[in-house]
Amino acid sequence: MLQRTGTLEEIMKGYANDYGCTLIATTRREVVSPTRHNFNSKIYMNGQFYEEEPYNNIEVIDRIGSGDAYLAGVLYGLIKYGTPEQAIEIGNALSAVKNTVLGDMSASSIEEIESVIKSHKATGRQDEMVR
């Protein structure tokens, strides 16, 4: 964070003010155990913060590449849909899924990621194969 201090929100606003950034995105990972992580992120765009419920208890096989997957998902969401809400959903889902496969690249289709997002937002009983 370039040795900045303050809350995450203050740091993100500082980047926008000091460097003229129009969008700041940061990931947040909570390591529960070596093989279980919680993942979330936050986006600051046009003076507003965006985040969603974290992906909890991800079974981590290989976390290398999950940051790249997050950024790819955010960029895809922004280009395809033009909204920070879609960007954060796709970025979070793609990163969460990437943690569950070996290697540094995600090979998930957008249809798979959309299915994961739908499951993530669902309440009640869910198909274990999509979770």
Side-chain angles (χ1 to χ4, degrees), residues 13-33:
K13 284 181 181 180
Y15 289 144
N17 295 334
D18 296 347
Y19 302 114
C21 299
T22 57
L23 184 146
I24 298 95
T26 186
T27 61
R28 298 189 295 179
R29 176 186 301 272
E30 177 189 5
V31 177
V32 178
S33 76

Side-chain angles (χ1 to χ4, degrees), residues 12-13 16 22-24 42-50:
M12 293 173 82
K13 284 181 181 180
T22 57
L23 184 146
I24 298 95
K42 187 172 272 201
I43 289 178
Y44 180 68
M45 184 174 171
N46 299 325
Q48 187 171 345
F49 288 99
Y50 300 88

Side-chain angles (χ1 to χ4, degrees), residues 94 97-98 106-110 112-113:
L94 190 57
V97 169
K98 167 47 203 93
S106 176
S108 300
S109 69
I110 189 60
E112 290 174 297
I113 297 305

Side-chain angles (χ1 to χ4, degrees), residues 43-70:
I43 289 178
Y44 180 68
M45 184 174 171
N46 299 325
Q48 187 171 345
F49 288 99
Y50 300 88
E51 69 181 314
E52 65 172 350
E53 289 296 316
Y55 282 80
N56 290 316
N57 293 310
I58 300 167
E59 186 176 346
V60 177
I61 304 298
D62 188 352
R63 69 182 275 181
I64 302 298
S66 62
D68 293 340
Y70 171 76

